[in-house]
Amino acid sequence: MTELMYGDDPEPSDPSPAGRRETLYVPVRSGPAGCVARMFRTPLGGRTAVGFTTPERLAETLGADQRWITLSEHALRALARPLGVTALTVDPQFAAPAVSDVPEETGRRIDPQTLGVLRVTGAVALVDALALWIG
């Protein structure tokens, strides 16, 4: 029997490209039974597992305090699959800053109730807000 190349195999058994068997540094958090791999969201909202090729890249993106473990790509995919996560992002370039309710320039705590945030949308809400403001 001839050996099939990846391009010729209609159902490759390995979901990753040939030759990619590197160790990934996977961010974890504390869980009830030890550490748990963190799952992230893509910019479009899909869930993804994340791995980094070096601990330095992980620290640059997620901070020096982020805990991590090493896993192979295959092991990370197997860990994420039962959670319904099939995407894997390696060395993501950008991460949003940590959410804070204290603006750096003022040091005051933001209270959404005092900001006058409109909770109802549409023309009626706009008219009501303008009537209160004018009047």
Side-chain angles (χ1 to χ4, degrees), residues 30-71:
S30 295
C35 63
V36 178
R38 290 181 60 191
M39 298 295 145
F40 293 83
R41 296 261 179 205
T42 65
L44 297 176
R47 293 178 72 200
T48 183
V50 172
F52 293 86
T53 54
T54 66
E56 293 79 20
R57 287 187 176 176
L58 183 142
E60 287 171 5
T61 304
L62 299 175
D65 293 335
Q66 176 61 57
R67 294 176 51 207
W68 52 267
I69 60 171
T70 56
L71 292 173

Side-chain angles (χ1 to χ4, degrees), residues 13-24:
S13 59
D14 188 1
S16 63
R20 187 164 185 182
R21 290 284 180 215
E22 62 194 50
T23 297
L24 294 175

Side-chain angles (χ1 to χ4, degrees), residues 26-27 37-43 45-51 76-77 80 83-90 92:
V26 179
R38 290 181 60 191
M39 298 295 145
F40 293 83
R41 296 261 179 205
T42 65
R47 293 178 72 200
T48 183
V50 172
L76 180 55
R77 286 184 184 277
L83 302 173
V85 178
T86 57
L88 172 62
T89 304
V90 177

